[in-house]
Amino acid sequence: MNRFEGSGNREAKIRYLDADFQILTPGSHVVCAMTGRPILIDELKYWSVARQEAYADAAASLEAEKRAGALPNQSR
């Protein structure tokens, strides 16, 4: 699915899976859980299966992992 298939300018609802995702409700984008920035579906590369969140970039993903205490050798 791409952004020109009638999804409009609304937020998609997505189920994040290992190495893939499933679009539950079509839309043009999702919102980064850390920055609040919109991420076009075609550009979505970073997400958490455990937390079911999308991230705009690797830095946002790393920050989410830190906040969740999900990194090795990290005290909560």
Side-chain angles (χ1 to χ4, degrees):
M1 169 182 253
N2 66 42
R3 63 184 158 196
F4 302 111
E5 290 180 346
S7 57
N9 191 24
R10 63 181 175 197
E11 184 176 353
K13 300 298 179 204
I14 293 182
R15 177 179 299 136
Y16 300 101
L17 308 169
D18 291 328
D20 201 4
F21 55 85
Q22 177 185 20
I23 297 174
L24 303 175
T25 304
S28 61
H29 66 280
V30 293
V31 176
C32 176
M34 298 303 294
T35 66
R37 293 188 337 219
I39 309 161
L40 294 176
I41 299 298
D42 291 346
E43 297 176 9
L44 179 59
K45 297 177 186 157
Y46 303 96
W47 61 80
S48 167
V49 174
R51 291 183 298 281
Q52 291 295 293
E53 298 176 334
Y55 308 112
D57 53 31
S61 177
L62 177 62
E63 186 60 32
E65 292 297 311
K66 287 179 183 177
R67 286 188 183 183
L71 298 177
N73 300 322
Q74 181 181 359
S75 60
R76 290 188 176 186

